Amino acid sequence: MKKDLHPDYHEIKVVMTDGTEFTTRSTYGASGDTMRLDIDPKTHPAWTGEHRLVDSGGQVAKFNKRFGGFGLKTE
């Protein structure tokens, strides 16, 4: 194998969104660094089945304002 071809694997600490943590080996950062997750399998809708609507920057309000008049009219 060629020398210095593979990345350096070292131990880091991963902190989940609920505060639990574990140690794993990774190429992230340096040895002993901490990776804090914003989204993980305990909170992400793809794994939990709970879907929340997050209005980032008023996008949902903008959509509703623009397309709020569309729909079925019942009289």
Side-chain angles (χ1 to χ4, degrees), residues 2-69:
K2 291 184 179 180
K3 212 173 190 185
D4 299 325
L5 178 67
H6 297 284
D8 175 41
Y9 286 98
H10 44 270
E11 286 193 357
I12 64 166
K13 181 170 62 169
V14 178
V15 180
M16 307 288 267
T17 56
D18 66 351
T20 58
E21 49 189 59
F22 64 92
T23 303
T24 188
R25 293 177 53 79
S26 175
T27 59
Y28 172 82
S31 183
D33 280 355
T34 301
M35 178 188 289
R36 297 189 181 279
L37 300 180
D38 293 331
I39 298 174
D40 65 30
K42 294 179 181 179
T43 59
H44 195 277
W47 290 283
T48 62
E50 293 179 23
H51 296 281
R52 295 181 303 231
L53 192 56
V54 178
D55 190 3
S56 176
Q59 293 297 314
V60 173
K62 186 177 178 182
F63 178 85
N64 287 336
K65 181 180 175 187
R66 186 171 180 189
F67 298 108

